[in-house]
């Protein structure tokens, strides 16, 4: 910030006189700012005594520089800027206040200069040049921005800790949950969903800018970056909120994501994260896309006992898992579509773009390989559990 040209020496006697009136001038300046700057007016957050004290310090700084023919430090202006940032005052309002205050002091100074003898036009020009470069507003603005950046980093660190506590289940008391939700901008009661996105490079977000993009759709969320995952919890109130979340996530065309079922209580976030990670594990290979966890009863039971469920899958599908990858995938996809079509071979055939007799042939092949009949309700239940559990197993080597 420039400090040239220096203040004109001929102004020193006038400035010294005004310096002696600094208390009165500061008070009048505060009244002017209070009348003209919205943030500082009426019942605003800054009390008049505090504003007047700041105005007096700046008055003493300006006229002290002129009276002593020197360049003093900008500490009062810098402290004003730092305080404004800490209190959340808009920077535009702070700079407006400095413009009003500067105009007030300039009018007082020029009136006193005109009444003084031996002050030439050249002196007035030099005074104006110094005034423009004097830099109180710039000093306050720089301090404001620096402090605002520090506060933002601090808030980000605190927010990150709260999100981590939410995902790990440290927050269980309702009062603590309420305080954390308030700090994160989330409601205490849902519905919510959790997203787990695979991170390709540690420290790099899989979904850069996702929080403001969701907020633009009126979806509040909180995110945490882990070494291998970016995880987030979203409040999905409203009839179309979940669809909106999926639409926004779908815009990240290079990311792999798993989405939990909807849940109501914020304290259930750790469980929802586990389900989102299970959904993420179902994404094939490294292919991008969004996979939602099936929130049906069977899927939830499987997720609650992963070890037992995967043992069931290996037992029920033991022979099928030994087949070549293409045949194995074709048979499992057929069984999945048969369940989706409520046991209708014709319905499954429409989704698979094949003849219904082809579906029936594949289902008979599955019955042979598993030793279970699709006419037996108990066998149908066994196969459903095994099919859901199979999604939790790592893919065979040829599919990885």
């Amino acid at each position: 910030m420039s400090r040239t040209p220096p203040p004109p020496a001929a102004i020193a006697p006038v400035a010294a006189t005004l310096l002696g009136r600094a208390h009165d001038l500061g008070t009048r300046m505060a009244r002017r700012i209070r009348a003209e700057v919205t943030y500082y007016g009426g019942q605003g957050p800054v009390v008049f005594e505090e504003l007047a004290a700041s105005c007096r310090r700046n008055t003493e700084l300006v006229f002290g520089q002129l009276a002593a023919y020197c360049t003093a430090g900008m500490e009062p202006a810098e402290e004003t800027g730092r305080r404004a940032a800490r209190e959340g005052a808009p920077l535009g309002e702070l700079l407006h206040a400095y413009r009003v205050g500067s105009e007030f002091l300039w009018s007082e100074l020029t009136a006193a200069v005109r009444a003084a003898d031996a002050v030439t036009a050249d002196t007035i020009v030099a005074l104006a040049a110094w005034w423009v470069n004097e830099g109180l507003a710039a000093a306050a603005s720089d301090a404001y921005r620096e402090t605002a950046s520090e506060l933002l980093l601090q808030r980000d660190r605190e927010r990150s800790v709260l999100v981590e506590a939410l995902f790990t289940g440290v927050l269980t008391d309702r009062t603590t949950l309420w305080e954390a939700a308030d700090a994160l901008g989330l409601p205490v009661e849902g519905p919510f969903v959790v997203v787990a996105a695979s991170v390709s490079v540690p420290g790099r977000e899989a979904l850069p800018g996702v929080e403001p993009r969701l907020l633009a759709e009126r979806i509040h969320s909180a995110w945490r970056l882990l070494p291998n995952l970016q995880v987030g919890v979203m409040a999905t109130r409203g009839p179309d909120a979940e669809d909106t979340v999926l639409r926004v996530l779908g815009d990240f065309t290079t990311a792999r994501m798993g989405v939990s079922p909807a849940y109501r209580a914020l304290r259930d976030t750790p469980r929802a994260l586990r389900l989102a990670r299970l959904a993420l594990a179902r994404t094939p290979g490294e292919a991008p896309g969004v996979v939602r966890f099936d929130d049906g009863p069977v899927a939830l039971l499987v997720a609650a006992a992963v070890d037992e469920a995967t043992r069931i899958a290996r037992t029920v599908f033991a022979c099928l898992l030994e087949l070549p990858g293409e045949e194995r995938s074709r048979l499992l996809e057929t069984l999945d579509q048969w369940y989706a079509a409520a046991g209708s071979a014709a319905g499954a055939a429409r989704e698979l773009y094949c003849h219904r007799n082809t579906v029936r042939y594949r289902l008979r092949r599955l019955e042979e390989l598993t030793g279970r009949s699709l006419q037996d309700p108990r066998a149908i239940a066994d196969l459903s559990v095994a099919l859901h559990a199979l999604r939790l197993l790592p893919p065979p080597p040829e599919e990885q």
Side-chain angles (χ1 to χ4, degrees), residues 32-33 36-37 95-105:
R32 178 76 62 84
I33 291 172
E36 297 187 22
V37 183
L95 297 180
H96 186 192
Y98 266 97
R99 283 193 295 271
V100 172
S102 182
E103 290 170 2
F104 172 80
L105 291 183

Side-chain angles (χ1 to χ4, degrees), residues 216-284:
E217 301 284 350
R218 299 183 179 180
I219 303 291
H220 292 269
S221 61
W223 295 83
R224 178 85 166 95
L225 183 60
L226 305 174
N228 63 335
L229 289 176
Q230 182 179 0
V231 295
V233 54
M234 280 134 282
T236 52
R237 288 180 170 178
D240 301 320
E242 282 194 54
D243 291 339
T244 300
V245 166
L246 293 174
R247 174 171 54 79
V248 172
L249 294 177
D251 291 338
F252 295 89
T253 56
T254 61
R256 296 171 53 239
M257 290 165 272
V259 182
S260 76
Y263 62 102
R264 301 293 308 183
L266 199 57
R267 64 169 54 89
D268 293 333
T269 298
R271 174 177 173 274
L273 174 59
R274 185 161 61 87
L275 299 181
R277 296 182 74 155
L278 289 174
L280 175 63
R282 286 172 49 195
T283 57

Side-chain angles (χ1 to χ4, degrees), residues 9-23:
I11 299 298
V14 177
T17 301
L18 292 172
L19 183 59
R21 297 169 49 205
H23 188 279

Side-chain angles (χ1 to χ4, degrees), residues 33-72:
I33 291 172
R34 200 170 178 83
E36 297 187 22
V37 183
T38 303
Y39 180 80
Y40 293 95
Q43 300 299 317
V46 181
V47 298
F48 180 78
E49 290 74 13
E50 181 182 333
L51 176 61
S54 177
C55 290
R56 290 170 198 139
R57 287 193 298 269
N58 285 315
T59 300
E60 291 168 353
L61 174 63
V62 172
F63 292 143
Q65 291 183 54
L66 288 169
Y69 183 55
C70 68
T71 298

Side-chain angles (χ1 to χ4, degrees), residues 291-304:
V291 175
R292 295 192 67 183
F293 189 91
D294 182 357
D295 57 357
V298 172
L300 293 174
L301 285 172
V302 166

Side-chain angles (χ1 to χ4, degrees), residues 31-366:
R31 292 197 187 102
R32 178 76 62 84
I33 291 172
R34 200 170 178 83
E36 297 187 22
V37 183
T38 303
Y39 180 80
Y40 293 95
Q43 300 299 317
V46 181
V47 298
F48 180 78
E49 290 74 13
E50 181 182 333
L51 176 61
S54 177
C55 290
R56 290 170 198 139
R57 287 193 298 269
N58 285 315
T59 300
E60 291 168 353
L61 174 63
V62 172
F63 292 143
Q65 291 183 54
L66 288 169
Y69 183 55
C70 68
T71 298
M74 294 289 110
E75 289 81 4
E78 291 167 351
E79 176 54 32
T80 298
R82 284 190 288 269
R83 185 170 60 254
R86 288 192 294 266
E87 294 173 353
L91 179 56
E93 292 290 273
L94 174 67
L95 297 180
H96 186 192
Y98 266 97
R99 283 193 295 271
V100 172
S102 182
E103 290 170 2
F104 172 80
L105 291 183
W106 175 255
S107 65
E108 292 292 324
L109 179 57
T110 52
V113 165
R114 282 198 300 268
D117 297 330
V119 174
T120 66
D122 289 341
T123 300
I124 298 296
V125 171
L127 174 61
W130 175 85
W131 192 273
V132 169
N133 286 276
E134 176 270 339
L136 279 178
S141 176
D142 290 345
Y144 179 102
R145 290 190 175 94
E146 181 180 341
T147 302
S149 297
E150 293 171 356
L151 291 172
L152 181 61
L153 288 173
Q154 179 182 342
R155 283 194 292 268
D156 284 347
R157 287 192 293 267
E158 292 172 352
R159 184 179 176 85
S160 181
V161 169
L162 284 176
V163 176
E164 175 72 10
L166 185 61
F167 278 119
T168 55
V170 173
L171 304 177
T172 55
D173 179 77
R174 181 172 179 83
T175 301
T176 307
L177 276 168
W178 183 89
E179 292 171 347
D182 184 61
L184 296 172
L186 297 172
V188 178
E189 296 297 328
F192 305 98
V193 295
V194 166
V195 172
S198 179
V199 172
S200 58
V201 178
R204 181 181 299 172
E205 292 186 344
L207 311 173
V210 65
E211 187 168 358
R213 291 177 66 173
L214 286 168
L215 192 57
E217 301 284 350
R218 299 183 179 180
I219 303 291
H220 292 269
S221 61
W223 295 83
R224 178 85 166 95
L225 183 60
L226 305 174
N228 63 335
L229 289 176
Q230 182 179 0
V231 295
V233 54
M234 280 134 282
T236 52
R237 288 180 170 178
D240 301 320
E242 282 194 54
D243 291 339
T244 300
V245 166
L246 293 174
R247 174 171 54 79
V248 172
L249 294 177
D251 291 338
F252 295 89
T253 56
T254 61
R256 296 171 53 239
M257 290 165 272
V259 182
S260 76
Y263 62 102
R264 301 293 308 183
L266 199 57
R267 64 169 54 89
D268 293 333
T269 298
R271 174 177 173 274
L273 174 59
R274 185 161 61 87
L275 299 181
R277 296 182 74 155
L278 289 174
L280 175 63
R282 286 172 49 195
T283 57
E286 296 299 317
V290 182
V291 175
R292 295 192 67 183
F293 189 91
D294 182 357
D295 57 357
V298 172
L300 293 174
L301 285 172
V302 166
V306 174
D307 291 341
E308 286 302 309
T310 53
R311 184 185 63 78
I312 291 170
R314 288 191 173 98
T315 300
V316 172
F317 292 127
C319 295
L320 185 142
L321 292 174
E322 295 177 358
L323 296 176
E326 184 176 350
E327 182 180 1
R328 179 177 64 245
S329 297
R330 184 166 57 245
L331 292 176
L332 289 172
E333 184 183 15
T334 300
L335 180 61
D336 195 23
Q337 291 298 332
W338 182 77
Y339 277 111
S344 167
R350 283 193 296 271
E351 295 298 321
L352 294 167
Y353 299 101
C354 65
H355 196 276
R356 60 179 176 273
N357 288 338
T358 301
V359 171
R360 293 190 180 104
Y361 167 77
R362 293 175 184 174
L363 294 176
R364 286 195 298 271
R365 177 78 170 132
L366 275 162

